[in-house]
Amino acid sequence: MKHNPVLLKECITGLAMKPNGIYVDGTLGRGSHSAAILKQIPDGHLFAFDRDQSAIAESQERLAAISDRFTLFHTNFAQMKTELAHLGIHQVDGILLDLGVSSPQFDEASRGFSYRFDAPLDMRMDQRQALTAHEIVNTWSYEDLCDILYRYGEERFAKLIVRRIMEVRANQPIETTAQLTELIKEALPQRIVHKKGHPAKKSFQALRIAVNDELHALSIVLQEGLQLLAPQGRFCIISFHSLEDRMVKEAFVKASTPPQMDKRIPILPQDLPQAGYRLINKKPITAGADELTANHRSHSAKLRIIERI
């Protein structure tokens, strides 16, 4: 399955890599970003993480053809600091995250991520995990379902959709992505169903985030990733929807803002407390015209970069 990496050149430039540096790809996927990083660090080492065993298996061979200076972890990037500490690694020179679901996961019908295919309601990035979209849709309460559709999908018709889910599942379980897609269409006003964009997109996004606890994992890696950076180390994060981008922006702005001092206290300018980090780009980097044409996934991508001082 082909995977076009998003903002690849911008990430490689943004990481400002050293040939002997230690770098982390927290979202290995099919190895496109990792491969590009590995080529830049002949005397360094790459540590890469992914929840998806198939991603680990496919990337292993690809990266081995470039170098043996890499280590792969079949786990969530929220475990990054812990896993690296076990190996005696307490500082790194750069971290990259490409958030969201990889194209191969969307294109593999049986994984249940996409409303484009009829498949069991699954949506697990890590197949070892117990919680699935099937369990959420069929067992979670009305209030909890409304909450995740509204918060994670920013779906303003969450209540209409969840009422229809409750009606259908009262008679029989909702088993497949096609069933869920159809009932979402039934629940929404017709003017919304016929608008541009798929009517189930927001609900599927919300369920995927809930199944994989994505925003909680992101909150952990934002905090611990910043702590892991060595001086002049950089943290590059590509996000694909407003919830993720807002979290990244707020964390980076907070880290790069000096502590507030009482203006009544006389302090020389050179003695004022400084922030421990600086923003490399105040506005997110987005794809250029050529990439937008070649790769549809790049349309919603935003890259933010911060450096430890």
Side-chain angles (χ1 to χ4, degrees):
M1 286 174 279
K2 186 174 180 179
H3 172 61
N4 294 319
V6 172
L7 297 171
L8 179 61
K9 291 179 181 177
E10 292 83 353
C11 287
I12 298 305
T13 301
L15 283 170
M17 285 179 283
K18 302 183 294 186
N20 64 343
I22 297 173
Y23 294 89
V24 178
D25 184 350
T27 47
L28 174 64
R30 267 50 187 182
S32 298
H33 286 110
S34 279
I37 292 171
L38 205 53
K39 290 173 183 176
Q40 301 291 320
I41 53 169
D43 302 312
H45 200 91
L46 170 70
F47 297 94
F49 294 75
D50 207 290
R51 297 192 232 189
D52 190 340
Q53 178 57 44
S54 60
I56 297 287
E58 288 186 32
S59 296
Q60 177 81 38
E61 185 175 350
R62 179 177 187 178
L63 298 181
I66 300 169
S67 167
D68 62 354
R69 304 182 73 90
F70 68 91
T71 305
L72 305 185
F73 298 89
H74 180 202
T75 190
N76 191 320
F77 57 54
Q79 301 299 314
M80 181 187 300
K81 188 178 180 183
T82 300
E83 293 290 350
L84 292 177
H86 288 157
L87 299 178
I89 306 294
H90 301 287
Q91 283 194 328
V92 301
D93 298 296
I95 302 170
L96 170 66
L97 299 181
D98 177 3
L99 303 175
V101 180
S102 69
S103 300
Q105 286 174 328
F106 270 124
D107 293 339
E108 191 176 332
S110 63
R111 301 293 294 273
F113 282 105
S114 178
Y115 42 75
R116 294 184 292 124
F117 309 110
D118 188 16
L121 277 171
D122 192 327
M123 301 193 189
R124 291 173 298 170
M125 292 181 179
D126 188 340
Q127 295 291 292
R128 300 170 299 182
Q129 176 183 304
L131 181 64
T132 65
H134 183 279
E135 180 177 340
I136 292 176
V137 169
N138 288 287
T139 68
W140 282 24
S141 70
Y142 172 83
E143 291 77 15
D144 286 343
L145 284 172
C146 285
D147 184 53
I148 65 169
L149 292 196
Y150 185 76
R151 283 202 299 137
Y152 298 161
E154 299 177 298
E155 174 56 80
R156 59 195 180 101
F157 296 103
K159 290 182 179 179
L160 292 178
I161 293 169
V162 176
R163 284 193 199 113
R164 184 61 185 143
I165 288 174
M166 303 302 280
E167 289 171 3
V168 172
R169 82 182 201 188
N171 297 313
Q172 60 181 22
I174 300 163
E175 302 285 357
T176 69
T177 53
Q179 285 178 273
L180 180 59
T181 299
E182 190 57 36
L183 69 84
I184 290 171
K185 290 179 180 178
E186 292 169 359
L188 291 172
Q190 286 304 296
R191 61 185 171 82
I192 301 299
V193 173
H194 297 299
K195 281 181 68 175
K196 184 179 179 181
H198 198 284
K201 181 177 181 179
K202 293 180 179 180
S203 296
F204 270 63
Q205 172 184 296
L207 286 168
R208 188 203 81 221
I209 290 173
V211 168
N212 297 289
D213 203 14
E214 292 177 35
L215 298 187
H216 180 239
L218 178 57
S219 68
I220 293 172
V221 80
L222 280 170
Q223 178 183 349
E224 295 190 349
L226 287 168
Q227 295 169 359
L228 271 171
L229 290 179
Q232 284 73 59
R234 292 190 176 186
F235 199 169
C236 299
I237 304 182
I238 306 170
S239 60
F240 290 90
H241 59 74
S242 59
L243 293 173
E244 293 171 337
D245 183 58
R246 193 179 309 135
M247 289 177 66
V248 175
K249 178 182 178 181
E250 289 175 357
F252 282 10
V253 167
K254 182 179 179 181
S256 60
T257 302
Q260 293 296 310
M261 296 293 294
D262 190 330
K263 293 181 180 179
R264 296 170 296 181
I265 301 174
I267 299 178
L268 294 172
Q270 63 266 29
D271 294 329
L272 287 170
Q274 302 296 310
Y277 302 81
R278 71 181 184 97
L279 297 176
I280 299 300
N281 56 311
K282 291 188 177 180
K283 292 186 177 180
I285 297 168
T286 56
D290 290 345
E291 183 170 6
L292 289 172
T293 301
N295 188 359
H296 176 74
R297 187 170 176 256
S298 68
H299 282 252
S300 57
K302 294 181 178 180
L303 170 63
R304 295 186 185 272
I305 308 170
I306 195 169
E307 179 182 82
R308 188 164 200 167
I309 297 172

